[in-house]
PDB file of all heavy atoms in Angstrom:
ATOM      1  N   LYS A  19       1.909  -7.684  23.753  1.00  0.00           N
ATOM      2  CA  LYS A  19       1.586  -8.574  22.640  1.00  0.00           C
ATOM      3  C   LYS A  19       0.414  -8.037  21.836  1.00  0.00           C
ATOM      4  O   LYS A  19       0.380  -8.088  20.611  1.00  0.00           O
ATOM      5  CB  LYS A  19       1.272  -9.984  23.172  1.00  0.00           C
ATOM      6  CG  LYS A  19       2.506 -10.760  23.600  1.00  0.00           C
ATOM      7  CD  LYS A  19       2.123 -12.150  24.081  1.00  0.00           C
ATOM      8  CE  LYS A  19       3.375 -12.949  24.482  1.00  0.00           C
ATOM      9  NZ  LYS A  19       3.013 -14.313  24.990  1.00  0.00           N
ATOM     10  N   ILE A  20      -0.596  -7.540  22.623  1.00  0.00           N
ATOM     11  CA  ILE A  20      -1.769  -6.974  21.932  1.00  0.00           C
ATOM     12  C   ILE A  20      -1.353  -5.783  21.064  1.00  0.00           C
ATOM     13  O   ILE A  20      -1.777  -5.644  19.898  1.00  0.00           O
ATOM     14  CB  ILE A  20      -2.843  -6.585  22.962  1.00  0.00           C
ATOM     15  CG1 ILE A  20      -3.447  -7.838  23.603  1.00  0.00           C
ATOM     16  CG2 ILE A  20      -3.945  -5.741  22.306  1.00  0.00           C
ATOM     17  CD1 ILE A  20      -4.240  -7.554  24.887  1.00  0.00           C
ATOM     18  N   SER A  21      -0.512  -4.964  21.672  1.00  0.00           N
ATOM     19  CA  SER A  21      -0.053  -3.790  20.890  1.00  0.00           C
ATOM     20  C   SER A  21       0.779  -4.240  19.672  1.00  0.00           C
ATOM     21  O   SER A  21       0.652  -3.667  18.565  1.00  0.00           O
ATOM     22  CB  SER A  21       0.762  -2.853  21.791  1.00  0.00           C
ATOM     23  OG  SER A  21       1.940  -3.518  22.257  1.00  0.00           O
ATOM     24  N   ILE A  22       1.567  -5.331  19.881  1.00  0.00           N
ATOM     25  CA  ILE A  22       2.367  -5.828  18.751  1.00  0.00           C
ATOM     26  C   ILE A  22       1.452  -6.356  17.658  1.00  0.00           C
ATOM     27  O   ILE A  22       1.669  -6.139  16.454  1.00  0.00           O
ATOM     28  CB  ILE A  22       3.359  -6.894  19.241  1.00  0.00           C
ATOM     29  CG1 ILE A  22       4.500  -6.244  20.044  1.00  0.00           C
ATOM     30  CG2 ILE A  22       3.954  -7.669  18.060  1.00  0.00           C
ATOM     31  CD1 ILE A  22       5.334  -7.234  20.846  1.00  0.00           C
ATOM     32  N   LYS A  23       0.376  -7.128  18.102  1.00  0.00           N
ATOM     33  CA  LYS A  23      -0.568  -7.625  17.089  1.00  0.00           C
ATOM     34  C   LYS A  23      -1.223  -6.471  16.331  1.00  0.00           C
ATOM     35  O   LYS A  23      -1.398  -6.510  15.107  1.00  0.00           O
ATOM     36  CB  LYS A  23      -1.628  -8.496  17.763  1.00  0.00           C
ATOM     37  CG  LYS A  23      -1.113  -9.873  18.162  1.00  0.00           C
ATOM     38  CD  LYS A  23      -2.235 -10.684  18.813  1.00  0.00           C
ATOM     39  CE  LYS A  23      -1.735 -12.071  19.223  1.00  0.00           C
ATOM     40  NZ  LYS A  23      -2.808 -12.880  19.895  1.00  0.00           N
ATOM     41  N   GLU A  24      -1.619  -5.453  17.126  1.00  0.00           N
ATOM     42  CA  GLU A  24      -2.264  -4.304  16.474  1.00  0.00           C
ATOM     43  C   GLU A  24      -1.321  -3.638  15.473  1.00  0.00           C
ATOM     44  O   GLU A  24      -1.709  -3.286  14.360  1.00  0.00           O
ATOM     45  CB  GLU A  24      -2.727  -3.298  17.530  1.00  0.00           C
ATOM     46  CG  GLU A  24      -3.889  -3.808  18.364  1.00  0.00           C
ATOM     47  CD  GLU A  24      -4.289  -2.804  19.433  1.00  0.00           C
ATOM     48  OE1 GLU A  24      -3.543  -1.795  19.594  1.00  0.00           O
ATOM     49  OE2 GLU A  24      -5.315  -3.016  20.112  1.00  0.00           O
ATOM     50  N   THR A  25      -0.079  -3.510  15.916  1.00  0.00           N
ATOM     51  CA  THR A  25       0.907  -2.892  15.001  1.00  0.00           C
ATOM     52  C   THR A  25       1.131  -3.745  13.756  1.00  0.00           C
ATOM     53  O   THR A  25       1.247  -3.236  12.632  1.00  0.00           O
ATOM     54  CB  THR A  25       2.243  -2.673  15.714  1.00  0.00           C
ATOM     55  OG1 THR A  25       2.668  -3.913  16.312  1.00  0.00           O
ATOM     56  CG2 THR A  25       2.126  -1.608  16.773  1.00  0.00           C
ATOM     57  N   GLU A  26       1.134  -5.132  13.992  1.00  0.00           N
ATOM     58  CA  GLU A  26       1.298  -6.008  12.817  1.00  0.00           C
ATOM     59  C   GLU A  26       0.119  -5.886  11.879  1.00  0.00           C
ATOM     60  O   GLU A  26       0.262  -5.856  10.664  1.00  0.00           O
ATOM     61  CB  GLU A  26       1.484  -7.440  13.284  1.00  0.00           C
ATOM     62  CG  GLU A  26       2.863  -7.705  13.894  1.00  0.00           C
ATOM     63  CD  GLU A  26       3.013  -9.137  14.403  1.00  0.00           C
ATOM     64  OE1 GLU A  26       1.970  -9.857  14.410  1.00  0.00           O
ATOM     65  OE2 GLU A  26       4.128  -9.533  14.765  1.00  0.00           O
ATOM     66  N   GLU A  27      -1.108  -5.818  12.506  1.00  0.00           N
ATOM     67  CA  GLU A  27      -2.288  -5.636  11.663  1.00  0.00           C
ATOM     68  C   GLU A  27      -2.205  -4.305  10.900  1.00  0.00           C
ATOM     69  O   GLU A  27      -2.517  -4.245   9.690  1.00  0.00           O
ATOM     70  CB  GLU A  27      -3.552  -5.692  12.529  1.00  0.00           C
ATOM     71  CG  GLU A  27      -3.849  -7.106  13.057  1.00  0.00           C
ATOM     72  CD  GLU A  27      -5.040  -7.121  14.005  1.00  0.00           C
ATOM     73  OE1 GLU A  27      -5.547  -5.987  14.290  1.00  0.00           O
ATOM     74  OE2 GLU A  27      -5.464  -8.199  14.435  1.00  0.00           O
ATOM     75  N   ARG A  28      -1.799  -3.305  11.652  1.00  0.00           N
ATOM     76  CA  ARG A  28      -1.647  -2.008  10.975  1.00  0.00           C
ATOM     77  C   ARG A  28      -0.592  -2.076   9.854  1.00  0.00           C
ATOM     78  O   ARG A  28      -0.763  -1.488   8.772  1.00  0.00           O
ATOM     79  CB  ARG A  28      -1.255  -0.925  11.984  1.00  0.00           C
ATOM     80  CG  ARG A  28      -2.357  -0.542  12.923  1.00  0.00           C
ATOM     81  CD  ARG A  28      -3.451   0.180  12.140  1.00  0.00           C
ATOM     82  NE  ARG A  28      -4.529   0.592  12.974  1.00  0.00           N
ATOM     83  CZ  ARG A  28      -4.575   1.730  13.667  1.00  0.00           C
ATOM     84  NH1 ARG A  28      -3.566   2.555  13.584  1.00  0.00           N
ATOM     85  NH2 ARG A  28      -5.632   2.027  14.416  1.00  0.00           N
ATOM     86  N   ILE A  29       0.469  -2.835  10.126  1.00  0.00           N
ATOM     87  CA  ILE A  29       1.534  -2.975   9.106  1.00  0.00           C
ATOM     88  C   ILE A  29       0.981  -3.679   7.878  1.00  0.00           C
ATOM     89  O   ILE A  29       1.258  -3.299   6.728  1.00  0.00           O
ATOM     90  CB  ILE A  29       2.737  -3.722   9.700  1.00  0.00           C
ATOM     91  CG1 ILE A  29       3.504  -2.809  10.661  1.00  0.00           C
ATOM     92  CG2 ILE A  29       3.683  -4.194   8.583  1.00  0.00           C
ATOM     93  CD1 ILE A  29       4.472  -3.524  11.555  1.00  0.00           C
ATOM     94  N   VAL A  30       0.139  -4.772   8.147  1.00  0.00           N
ATOM     95  CA  VAL A  30      -0.460  -5.472   6.998  1.00  0.00           C
ATOM     96  C   VAL A  30      -1.357  -4.534   6.223  1.00  0.00           C
ATOM     97  O   VAL A  30      -1.344  -4.498   4.971  1.00  0.00           O
ATOM     98  CB  VAL A  30      -1.213  -6.719   7.494  1.00  0.00           C
ATOM     99  CG1 VAL A  30      -2.037  -7.322   6.361  1.00  0.00           C
ATOM    100  CG2 VAL A  30      -0.246  -7.759   8.048  1.00  0.00           C
ATOM    101  N   GLU A  31      -2.167  -3.769   6.986  1.00  0.00           N
ATOM    102  CA  GLU A  31      -3.041  -2.801   6.299  1.00  0.00           C
ATOM    103  C   GLU A  31      -2.209  -1.803   5.487  1.00  0.00           C
ATOM    104  O   GLU A  31      -2.546  -1.448   4.348  1.00  0.00           O
ATOM    105  CB  GLU A  31      -3.907  -2.079   7.332  1.00  0.00           C
ATOM    106  CG  GLU A  31      -4.974  -2.974   7.951  1.00  0.00           C
ATOM    107  CD  GLU A  31      -5.777  -2.231   9.008  1.00  0.00           C
ATOM    108  OE1 GLU A  31      -5.428  -1.059   9.289  1.00  0.00           O
ATOM    109  OE2 GLU A  31      -6.733  -2.813   9.540  1.00  0.00           O
ATOM    110  N   MET A  32      -1.124  -1.342   6.119  1.00  0.00           N
ATOM    111  CA  MET A  32      -0.268  -0.376   5.397  1.00  0.00           C
ATOM    112  C   MET A  32       0.366  -1.011   4.170  1.00  0.00           C
ATOM    113  O   MET A  32       0.499  -0.378   3.117  1.00  0.00           O
ATOM    114  CB  MET A  32       0.824   0.153   6.333  1.00  0.00           C
ATOM    115  CG  MET A  32       0.302   1.010   7.461  1.00  0.00           C
ATOM    116  SD  MET A  32      -0.562   2.460   6.888  1.00  0.00           S
ATOM    117  CE  MET A  32       0.757   3.352   6.155  1.00  0.00           C
ATOM    118  N   GLN A  33       0.758  -2.330   4.310  1.00  0.00           N
ATOM    119  CA  GLN A  33       1.308  -3.010   3.138  1.00  0.00           C
ATOM    120  C   GLN A  33       0.284  -3.107   2.020  1.00  0.00           C
ATOM    121  O   GLN A  33       0.585  -2.885   0.848  1.00  0.00           O
ATOM    122  CB  GLN A  33       1.812  -4.402   3.530  1.00  0.00           C
ATOM    123  CG  GLN A  33       3.106  -4.386   4.327  1.00  0.00           C
ATOM    124  CD  GLN A  33       3.550  -5.762   4.757  1.00  0.00           C
ATOM    125  OE1 GLN A  33       2.792  -6.752   4.556  1.00  0.00           O
ATOM    126  NE2 GLN A  33       4.728  -5.865   5.370  1.00  0.00           N
ATOM    127  N   ASN A  34      -0.976  -3.421   2.426  1.00  0.00           N
ATOM    128  CA  ASN A  34      -2.035  -3.457   1.413  1.00  0.00           C
ATOM    129  C   ASN A  34      -2.228  -2.080   0.754  1.00  0.00           C
ATOM    130  O   ASN A  34      -2.410  -1.962  -0.462  1.00  0.00           O
ATOM    131  CB  ASN A  34      -3.349  -3.933   2.038  1.00  0.00           C
ATOM    132  CG  ASN A  34      -3.268  -5.390   2.487  1.00  0.00           C
ATOM    133  OD1 ASN A  34      -2.615  -6.198   1.805  1.00  0.00           O
ATOM    134  ND2 ASN A  34      -3.916  -5.727   3.589  1.00  0.00           N
ATOM    135  N   MET A  35      -2.190  -1.090   1.636  1.00  0.00           N
ATOM    136  CA  MET A  35      -2.334   0.272   1.090  1.00  0.00           C
ATOM    137  C   MET A  35      -1.166   0.621   0.168  1.00  0.00           C
ATOM    138  O   MET A  35      -1.345   1.260  -0.891  1.00  0.00           O
ATOM    139  CB  MET A  35      -2.432   1.281   2.242  1.00  0.00           C
ATOM    140  CG  MET A  35      -3.739   1.193   3.015  1.00  0.00           C
ATOM    141  SD  MET A  35      -3.762   2.293   4.428  1.00  0.00           S
ATOM    142  CE  MET A  35      -3.915   3.841   3.597  1.00  0.00           C
ATOM    143  N   VAL A  36       0.053   0.166   0.555  1.00  0.00           N
ATOM    144  CA  VAL A  36       1.233   0.443  -0.303  1.00  0.00           C
ATOM    145  C   VAL A  36       1.101  -0.271  -1.636  1.00  0.00           C
ATOM    146  O   VAL A  36       1.442   0.270  -2.699  1.00  0.00           O
ATOM    147  CB  VAL A  36       2.525   0.027   0.426  1.00  0.00           C
ATOM    148  CG1 VAL A  36       3.706  -0.013  -0.529  1.00  0.00           C
ATOM    149  CG2 VAL A  36       2.803   0.979   1.577  1.00  0.00           C
ATOM    150  N   GLN A  37       0.576  -1.549  -1.555  1.00  0.00           N
ATOM    151  CA  GLN A  37       0.347  -2.253  -2.818  1.00  0.00           C
ATOM    152  C   GLN A  37      -0.651  -1.516  -3.702  1.00  0.00           C
ATOM    153  O   GLN A  37      -0.472  -1.374  -4.912  1.00  0.00           O
ATOM    154  CB  GLN A  37      -0.146  -3.685  -2.535  1.00  0.00           C
ATOM    155  CG  GLN A  37       0.925  -4.617  -1.992  1.00  0.00           C
ATOM    156  CD  GLN A  37       0.392  -5.994  -1.689  1.00  0.00           C
ATOM    157  OE1 GLN A  37      -0.823  -6.246  -1.860  1.00  0.00           O
ATOM    158  NE2 GLN A  37       1.275  -6.892  -1.226  1.00  0.00           N
ATOM    159  N   GLY A  38      -1.743  -1.022  -3.029  1.00  0.00           N
ATOM    160  CA  GLY A  38      -2.707  -0.234  -3.822  1.00  0.00           C
ATOM    161  C   GLY A  38      -2.061   1.023  -4.408  1.00  0.00           C
ATOM    162  O   GLY A  38      -2.329   1.418  -5.560  1.00  0.00           O
ATOM    163  N   VAL A  39      -1.174   1.623  -3.577  1.00  0.00           N
ATOM    164  CA  VAL A  39      -0.488   2.825  -4.063  1.00  0.00           C
ATOM    165  C   VAL A  39       0.426   2.491  -5.242  1.00  0.00           C
ATOM    166  O   VAL A  39       0.506   3.239  -6.227  1.00  0.00           O
ATOM    167  CB  VAL A  39       0.297   3.480  -2.909  1.00  0.00           C
ATOM    168  CG1 VAL A  39       1.240   4.550  -3.443  1.00  0.00           C
ATOM    169  CG2 VAL A  39      -0.658   4.081  -1.903  1.00  0.00           C
ATOM    170  N   THR A  40       1.126   1.308  -5.132  1.00  0.00           N
ATOM    171  CA  THR A  40       1.995   0.919  -6.259  1.00  0.00           C
ATOM    172  C   THR A  40       1.178   0.672  -7.511  1.00  0.00           C
ATOM    173  O   THR A  40       1.570   1.045  -8.627  1.00  0.00           O
ATOM    174  CB  THR A  40       2.791  -0.337  -5.892  1.00  0.00           C
ATOM    175  OG1 THR A  40       1.884  -1.351  -5.442  1.00  0.00           O
ATOM    176  CG2 THR A  40       3.817  -0.049  -4.796  1.00  0.00           C
ATOM    177  N   GLN A  41       0.009  -0.001  -7.312  1.00  0.00           N
ATOM    178  CA  GLN A  41      -0.859  -0.205  -8.482  1.00  0.00           C
ATOM    179  C   GLN A  41      -1.315   1.133  -9.079  1.00  0.00           C
ATOM    180  O   GLN A  41      -1.316   1.330 -10.295  1.00  0.00           O
ATOM    181  CB  GLN A  41      -2.081  -1.059  -8.091  1.00  0.00           C
ATOM    182  CG  GLN A  41      -1.741  -2.517  -7.793  1.00  0.00           C
ATOM    183  CD  GLN A  41      -2.952  -3.311  -7.352  1.00  0.00           C
ATOM    184  OE1 GLN A  41      -4.055  -2.760  -7.232  1.00  0.00           O
ATOM    185  NE2 GLN A  41      -2.744  -4.612  -7.103  1.00  0.00           N
ATOM    186  N   SER A  42      -1.706   2.013  -8.157  1.00  0.00           N
ATOM    187  CA  SER A  42      -2.127   3.346  -8.650  1.00  0.00           C
ATOM    188  C   SER A  42      -0.953   4.069  -9.316  1.00  0.00           C
ATOM    189  O   SER A  42      -1.129   4.784 -10.316  1.00  0.00           O
ATOM    190  CB  SER A  42      -2.695   4.168  -7.488  1.00  0.00           C
ATOM    191  OG  SER A  42      -1.672   4.395  -6.513  1.00  0.00           O
ATOM    192  N   GLU A  43       0.281   3.864  -8.750  1.00  0.00           N
ATOM    193  CA  GLU A  43       1.455   4.481  -9.394  1.00  0.00           C
ATOM    194  C   GLU A  43       1.684   3.906 -10.792  1.00  0.00           C
ATOM    195  O   GLU A  43       2.044   4.631 -11.732  1.00  0.00           O
ATOM    196  CB  GLU A  43       2.695   4.254  -8.527  1.00  0.00           C
ATOM    197  CG  GLU A  43       2.761   5.173  -7.327  1.00  0.00           C
ATOM    198  CD  GLU A  43       4.014   4.909  -6.498  1.00  0.00           C
ATOM    199  OE1 GLU A  43       4.735   3.937  -6.817  1.00  0.00           O
ATOM    200  OE2 GLU A  43       4.249   5.680  -5.565  1.00  0.00           O
ATOM    201  N   ALA A  44       1.464   2.578 -10.954  1.00  0.00           N
ATOM    202  CA  ALA A  44       1.601   1.979 -12.287  1.00  0.00           C
ATOM    203  C   ALA A  44       0.578   2.567 -13.247  1.00  0.00           C
ATOM    204  O   ALA A  44       0.890   2.912 -14.407  1.00  0.00           O
ATOM    205  CB  ALA A  44       1.433   0.454 -12.186  1.00  0.00           C
ATOM    206  N   GLU A  45      -0.679   2.691 -12.734  1.00  0.00           N
ATOM    207  CA  GLU A  45      -1.700   3.305 -13.580  1.00  0.00           C
ATOM    208  C   GLU A  45      -1.324   4.743 -13.924  1.00  0.00           C
ATOM    209  O   GLU A  45      -1.489   5.204 -15.066  1.00  0.00           O
ATOM    210  CB  GLU A  45      -3.056   3.251 -12.866  1.00  0.00           C
ATOM    211  CG  GLU A  45      -3.610   1.835 -12.726  1.00  0.00           C
ATOM    212  CD  GLU A  45      -4.913   1.813 -11.944  1.00  0.00           C
ATOM    213  OE1 GLU A  45      -5.301   2.897 -11.452  1.00  0.00           O
ATOM    214  OE2 GLU A  45      -5.520   0.724 -11.838  1.00  0.00           O
ATOM    215  N   ILE A  46      -0.823   5.435 -12.910  1.00  0.00           N
ATOM    216  CA  ILE A  46      -0.395   6.830 -13.152  1.00  0.00           C
ATOM    217  C   ILE A  46       0.744   6.880 -14.166  1.00  0.00           C
ATOM    218  O   ILE A  46       0.819   7.773 -15.021  1.00  0.00           O
ATOM    219  CB  ILE A  46      -0.001   7.489 -11.820  1.00  0.00           C
ATOM    220  CG1 ILE A  46      -1.244   7.730 -10.966  1.00  0.00           C
ATOM    221  CG2 ILE A  46       0.739   8.813 -12.062  1.00  0.00           C
ATOM    222  CD1 ILE A  46      -0.937   8.017  -9.517  1.00  0.00           C
ATOM    223  N   HIS A  47       1.658   5.866 -14.046  1.00  0.00           N
ATOM    224  CA  HIS A  47       2.767   5.813 -15.006  1.00  0.00           C
ATOM    225  C   HIS A  47       2.251   5.592 -16.435  1.00  0.00           C
ATOM    226  O   HIS A  47       2.732   6.207 -17.392  1.00  0.00           O
ATOM    227  CB  HIS A  47       3.721   4.686 -14.607  1.00  0.00           C
ATOM    228  CG  HIS A  47       4.972   4.650 -15.457  1.00  0.00           C
ATOM    229  ND1 HIS A  47       5.940   5.648 -15.419  1.00  0.00           N
ATOM    230  CD2 HIS A  47       5.408   3.731 -16.358  1.00  0.00           C
ATOM    231  CE1 HIS A  47       6.900   5.350 -16.253  1.00  0.00           C
ATOM    232  NE2 HIS A  47       6.601   4.179 -16.843  1.00  0.00           N
ATOM    233  N   GLN A  48       1.230   4.705 -16.542  1.00  0.00           N
ATOM    234  CA  GLN A  48       0.632   4.491 -17.869  1.00  0.00           C
ATOM    235  C   GLN A  48      -0.001   5.775 -18.395  1.00  0.00           C
ATOM    236  O   GLN A  48       0.181   6.164 -19.550  1.00  0.00           O
ATOM    237  CB  GLN A  48      -0.417   3.366 -17.793  1.00  0.00           C
ATOM    238  CG  GLN A  48       0.173   1.979 -17.579  1.00  0.00           C
ATOM    239  CD  GLN A  48      -0.889   0.913 -17.461  1.00  0.00           C
ATOM    240  OE1 GLN A  48      -2.095   1.227 -17.499  1.00  0.00           O
ATOM    241  NE2 GLN A  48      -0.455  -0.338 -17.322  1.00  0.00           N
ATOM    242  N   THR A  49      -0.759   6.404 -17.491  1.00  0.00           N
ATOM    243  CA  THR A  49      -1.368   7.688 -17.907  1.00  0.00           C
ATOM    244  C   THR A  49      -0.296   8.729 -18.230  1.00  0.00           C
ATOM    245  O   THR A  49      -0.450   9.533 -19.161  1.00  0.00           O
ATOM    246  CB  THR A  49      -2.289   8.218 -16.805  1.00  0.00           C
ATOM    247  OG1 THR A  49      -1.540   8.307 -15.581  1.00  0.00           O
ATOM    248  CG2 THR A  49      -3.498   7.326 -16.627  1.00  0.00           C
ATOM    249  N   TYR A  50       0.827   8.676 -17.456  1.00  0.00           N
ATOM    250  CA  TYR A  50       1.924   9.610 -17.744  1.00  0.00           C
ATOM    251  C   TYR A  50       2.526   9.340 -19.128  1.00  0.00           C
ATOM    252  O   TYR A  50       2.846  10.281 -19.877  1.00  0.00           O
ATOM    253  CB  TYR A  50       2.968   9.469 -16.653  1.00  0.00           C
ATOM    254  CG  TYR A  50       4.159  10.388 -16.816  1.00  0.00           C
ATOM    255  CD1 TYR A  50       4.021  11.773 -16.617  1.00  0.00           C
ATOM    256  CD2 TYR A  50       5.401   9.899 -17.190  1.00  0.00           C
ATOM    257  CE1 TYR A  50       5.094  12.615 -16.776  1.00  0.00           C
ATOM    258  CE2 TYR A  50       6.474  10.740 -17.366  1.00  0.00           C
ATOM    259  CZ  TYR A  50       6.320  12.106 -17.146  1.00  0.00           C
ATOM    260  OH  TYR A  50       7.385  12.955 -17.312  1.00  0.00           O
ATOM    261  N   ASN A  51       2.666   8.031 -19.473  1.00  0.00           N
ATOM    262  CA  ASN A  51       3.160   7.695 -20.816  1.00  0.00           C
ATOM    263  C   ASN A  51       2.213   8.195 -21.896  1.00  0.00           C
ATOM    264  O   ASN A  51       2.636   8.744 -22.929  1.00  0.00           O
ATOM    265  CB  ASN A  51       3.350   6.186 -20.946  1.00  0.00           C
ATOM    266  CG  ASN A  51       4.504   5.666 -20.096  1.00  0.00           C
ATOM    267  OD1 ASN A  51       5.521   6.365 -19.948  1.00  0.00           O
ATOM    268  ND2 ASN A  51       4.363   4.472 -19.557  1.00  0.00           N
ATOM    269  N   LEU A  52       0.895   8.002 -21.614  1.00  0.00           N
ATOM    270  CA  LEU A  52      -0.087   8.519 -22.561  1.00  0.00           C
ATOM    271  C   LEU A  52       0.031  10.030 -22.699  1.00  0.00           C
ATOM    272  O   LEU A  52      -0.041  10.595 -23.801  1.00  0.00           O
ATOM    273  CB  LEU A  52      -1.503   8.123 -22.139  1.00  0.00           C
ATOM    274  CG  LEU A  52      -1.868   6.635 -22.247  1.00  0.00           C
ATOM    275  CD1 LEU A  52      -3.220   6.375 -21.603  1.00  0.00           C
ATOM    276  CD2 LEU A  52      -1.904   6.214 -23.712  1.00  0.00           C
ATOM    277  N   LEU A  53       0.220  10.681 -21.547  1.00  0.00           N
ATOM    278  CA  LEU A  53       0.388  12.147 -21.587  1.00  0.00           C
ATOM    279  C   LEU A  53       1.653  12.545 -22.344  1.00  0.00           C
ATOM    280  O   LEU A  53       1.667  13.552 -23.082  1.00  0.00           O
ATOM    281  CB  LEU A  53       0.423  12.705 -20.159  1.00  0.00           C
ATOM    282  CG  LEU A  53      -0.915  12.734 -19.417  1.00  0.00           C
ATOM    283  CD1 LEU A  53      -0.695  13.092 -17.956  1.00  0.00           C
ATOM    284  CD2 LEU A  53      -1.853  13.735 -20.069  1.00  0.00           C
TER     285      LEU A  53
END
């Protein structure tokens, strides 16, 4: 259970990181349009 909780926490962290990556991808897309 502890390992599952840790993995879930890690998954949440990874989801947050993925959201940040998507935001950064949107910003990159905007910069790409500007380019």
Side-chain angles (χ1 to χ4, degrees):
K19 285 181 179 179
I20 291 165
S21 63
I22 287 166
K23 285 181 180 179
E24 290 178 352
T25 53
E26 286 178 352
E27 289 175 355
R28 289 292 181 86
I29 286 165
V30 170
E31 290 178 356
M32 293 300 293
Q33 286 177 353
N34 293 324
M35 290 175 72
V36 167
Q37 288 178 358
V39 168
T40 53
Q41 290 177 358
S42 63
E43 283 180 354
E45 292 177 355
I46 289 164
H47 186 67
Q48 290 178 358
T49 55
Y50 181 70
N51 291 325
L52 291 172
L53 287 171

